[in-house]
Amino acid sequence: MEAWVNTPDQFILKEDDRADMLVCDKLRKAYPTPKGDYVVLDQLQLKIKQGEFVSIIGHSGCGKSTLLTMIAGLNPVSGGTIMVDGFPIEGAGPDRAVVFQSPSLLPWLSALDNVMIGVKQVFPKASKAEKVEICKYYLDKVGLGNDFHKRATSLSQGMQQRVGIARAFALKPKILLLDEPFGMLDSLTRGELQDVLLEIWQKEKITAVAITHDVDESIFLADRVIMMTSGPYAKIGDELCIPFDRPRNRKEVLEHPEYYDYRGYLMDFLNH
Amino acid sequence: MALLELKNVSKSFGSGSTKVNVLSNINLAVEEGEFVAIVGFSGSGKTTLINLVNGLHFPDQGEVLLHGLPITGPGPDRGVIFQNYSLLPWLSVYNNIKLAVDEVFPKLSKMEKDLHIKKYISMVNLSHAKDKMPSALSGGMRQRVSVARALAMDPEILLMDEPLSALDALTRGTLQEEIVTIWSQNRKTAILITNDVDEGILMADRIIPLTPGPNATLGPEFKVDFERPRIVTEINKNSTYKRLRNDILEFLIEVGSTRRQFSDQKYLLPNLQPTYPGRRAFWKKNVNT
């Protein structure tokens, strides 16, 4: 991590010697309605360290996706600030890559070309061969090594979502934002993709924020699970640290004596 | 004798070089009043299996027996709940169910039919919406209509083909409870196809995994003997539950790992640093110099 000359005070390194990658301060989002503002999020405080994997769970409609789209810069904030790597965000940018719930690929392009679009933006000076190499590297990592030139439309939904993951990692983002990335997949395919995601993440150690409503997914992926209260005026209700060793193996995580305690804790939060 | 029996059933589609063996060597016996869940990966042939039972497909080898007799086609003794609801969009909730009732109980009087239909509509809590068109209903409500339609035929076996997969987690939970409650009232034989182990554990007496295709076959069965209603947050503390859930999940992880494909070629990542457009890139440059 680079040292900044004008590092503001709050970024001075603390007990966890990793710097804060994402800081949301007094974040507020309100949508105007004829009856006055509908406040989705209010006074939300969130700090995420460099290299940390955080998952956010909450009921549908609690404002999880609103929070994520605001961090991505796709949705303007109504109050408060979002700082990424020490600077306030200005709109969307390739330093924050998003994996959406629906794969959102360009249907007329091949898997490789879909990844290439982003790569061209962030590596403008790389040679053509290098760019292709980057795309192929990540597509191979997500298990699409034999399908570079297949069109997005001829891939199954699970495979399309794999392209989405490759596309996000290929940007070499500072933060990876995942908005219910596996919500549309069946629970078994979901498990496979979680493995794929963690495998690449383990290598790159990118700061990641994943939104999910699947309790098992949130535990398996994250170092820290953040529980959001239901809206309106949603904020962070509770936090749970998941100390399991990495790299994680699904079987070992399941067999961990405390696994079901964590699971129960999160389910209790969601059911009350 | 089991109510429903599948003996050495195999099914393939296509011919010649494009022939795909979907199911092979399926053996299953379902007793009367039992609730069986079949859990499998997408594309493993779960729907083909259900179609063999409801009579839309016939096995290449082996036989599918109901009361010891081979199945010759679809019939009202097997009610199906499809994942995509399959309601007729130009008919109201009431008329969608009436269509099935007219077919199965032609001898009932108008009034008896009316009572019969209304009973099942209220059973799935849709009385307020009985005259609505399917297009005016949410996914969860549409699936309720589909449940009512299947039950109104009073089938011997209820076949559910991923009935809740298209619904969000919250609606899914409510409908799981509702279906189990309705099922408990008259304990008809039920077969649930699902990709969700938790759904199987919450609803069924017995869970049988289907291995990934091609040549999918049934794995070892897992008995689920918890009292109903089963409440997730409560059974989560139960050590038998933890063991059972882990055993099923681990079995599926094991058989699923064979599906992963690896390519022979290795790709190297060029060591490049990304440039981010916008003011920050400019800022960074000034700070460094």
Side-chain angles (χ1 to χ4, degrees), chain A:
Chain A
M1 159 100 233
E2 293 165 72
W4 300 91
V5 178
N6 52 349
T7 308
D9 286 345
Q10 75 237 50
F11 297 119
I12 288 173
L13 307 180
K14 298 189 198 101
E15 65 286 0
D16 182 344
D17 57 348
R18 294 180 295 183
D20 288 322
M21 177 50 89
L22 174 74
V23 179
C24 298
D25 188 35
K26 298 199 184 88
L27 201 58
R28 177 185 165 91
K29 179 71 192 182
Y31 290 105
T33 67
K35 291 179 196 155
D37 281 358
Y38 178 80
V39 183
V40 185
L41 300 172
D42 197 31
Q43 297 291 322
L44 187 133
Q45 301 285 117
L46 177 64
K47 267 189 191 182
I48 297 175
K49 300 266 179 212
Q50 150 77 30
E52 202 179 8
F53 202 130
V54 170
S55 51
I56 300 178
I57 62 168
H59 284 302
S60 21
C62 77
K64 308 185 293 271
S65 291
T66 306
L67 173 62
L68 199 91
T69 48
M70 286 199 294
I71 298 171
L74 299 169
N75 197 346
V77 303
S78 314
T81 51
I82 300 176
M83 310 269 273
V84 169
D85 207 6
F87 289 96
I89 61 159
E90 287 162 31
D95 54 339
R96 283 152 286 140
V98 189
V99 179
F100 297 97
Q101 182 173 10
S102 59
S104 316
L105 302 179
L106 301 178
W108 63 91
L109 294 180
S110 67
L112 187 90
D113 290 338
N114 264 294
V115 180
M116 184 59 96
I117 288 189
V119 170
K120 273 186 186 162
Q121 293 298 314
V122 295
F123 301 106
K125 289 182 183 150
S127 70
K128 173 92 190 179
E130 282 173 326
K131 284 185 236 176
V132 171
E133 196 68 19
I134 294 174
C135 298
K136 287 188 172 173
Y137 174 85
Y138 285 104
L139 282 169
D140 184 50
K141 278 273 174 290
V142 296
L144 292 176
N146 301 320
D147 306 295
F148 294 149
H149 301 294
K150 277 202 187 147
R151 273 203 192 198
T153 42
S154 65
L155 299 172
S156 70
Q157 197 150 38
M159 286 165 99
Q160 289 190 28
Q161 198 57 290
R162 285 168 198 252
V163 180
I165 294 171
R167 178 174 64 179
F169 273 104
L171 296 174
K172 290 240 179 176
K174 289 179 180 166
I175 302 183
L176 187 66
L177 302 168
L178 305 128
D179 187 3
E180 299 203 21
F182 312 130
M184 289 171 79
L185 306 174
D186 70 78
S187 57
L188 299 168
T189 315
R190 202 181 292 171
E192 289 179 341
L193 280 189
Q194 289 163 8
D195 289 338
V196 165
L197 174 68
L198 276 195
E199 216 170 274
I200 312 183
W201 177 83
Q202 194 71 38
K203 281 211 179 71
E204 317 252 330
K205 286 286 178 195
I206 294 172
T207 312
V209 184
I211 283 183
T212 172
H213 57 236
D214 180 341
V215 171
D216 295 289
E217 181 170 285
S218 69
I219 299 173
F220 182 61
L221 293 177
D223 300 315
R224 187 152 61 103
V225 181
I226 288 173
M227 291 157 258
M228 273 177 73
T229 60
S230 290
Y233 296 94
K235 51 173 173 280
I236 289 166
D238 202 350
E239 267 188 35
L240 185 66
C241 281
I242 312 289
F244 300 152
D245 289 341
R246 292 187 188 268
R248 288 181 186 168
N249 168 302
R250 186 174 305 277
K251 275 191 187 177
E252 284 165 18
V253 169
L254 280 175
E255 292 295 340
H256 194 283
E258 279 153 35
Y259 179 79
Y260 281 90
D261 298 339
Y262 289 117
R263 188 170 183 260
Y265 190 88
L266 294 174
M267 286 197 303
D268 278 342
F269 177 86
L270 288 180
N271 284 330
H272 292 125

Side-chain angles (χ1 to χ4, degrees), chain B residues 34-236:
Chain B
E34 205 182 11
F35 197 133
V36 175
I38 292 172
V39 184
F41 293 83
S42 54
S44 59
K46 299 194 294 286
T47 301
T48 308
L49 183 62
I50 274 279
N51 284 344
L52 287 170
V53 178
N54 67 26
L56 294 172
H57 288 331
F58 297 97
D60 297 345
Q61 278 154 34
E63 43 189 358
V64 184
L65 304 172
L66 185 67
H67 290 302
L69 298 170
I71 286 174
T72 54
D77 50 348
R78 284 150 285 144
V80 188
I81 301 174
F82 297 97
Q83 180 178 1
N84 59 7
Y85 327 129
S86 306
L87 302 175
L88 301 178
W90 62 90
L91 293 181
S92 68
V93 169
Y94 183 90
N95 285 328
N96 259 293
I97 298 169
K98 185 165 183 289
L99 193 71
V101 173
D102 283 343
E103 196 60 38
V104 183
F105 304 108
K107 286 181 185 154
L108 286 186
S109 73
K110 233 179 179 174
M111 226 170 65
E112 284 169 322
K113 274 186 195 165
D114 184 61
L115 280 176
H116 187 81
I117 296 166
K118 284 186 177 153
K119 175 179 145 196
Y120 284 96
I121 292 181
S122 76
M123 202 183 260
V124 294
N125 301 322
L126 277 182
S127 299
H128 61 286
K130 75 177 174 48
D131 296 318
K132 285 198 174 148
M133 296 308 230
S135 55
L137 302 177
S138 69
M141 289 165 89
R142 285 182 210 187
Q143 196 54 288
R144 286 200 173 95
V145 182
S146 177
V147 171
R149 182 178 59 182
L151 292 172
M153 300 193 305
D154 201 16
E156 276 186 86
I157 303 184
L158 189 60
L159 302 170
M160 293 173 270
D161 186 5
E162 303 211 28
L164 308 175
S165 297
L167 304 173
D168 67 274
L170 218 62
T171 321
R172 192 188 257 232
T174 342
L175 264 176
Q176 280 167 357
E177 277 171 36
E178 277 181 34
I179 293 178
V180 170
T181 315
I182 295 171
W183 174 83
S184 314
Q185 285 164 13
N186 50 13
R187 299 242 166 193
K188 286 283 155 93
T189 313
I191 300 179
L192 169 76
I193 297 272
T194 180
N195 59 55
D196 184 352
V197 174
D198 292 309
E199 186 167 292
I201 297 180
L202 282 181
M203 299 175 77
D205 298 317
R206 192 146 65 101
I207 296 179
I208 306 169
L210 188 66
T211 62
N215 285 316
T217 190
L218 295 174
E221 65 166 47
F222 298 89
K223 283 243 183 290
V224 191
D225 28 273
F226 298 115
E227 284 293 308
R228 293 191 176 85
R230 301 169 182 159
I231 297 156
V232 204
T233 43
E234 278 172 25
I235 59 173
N236 186 59

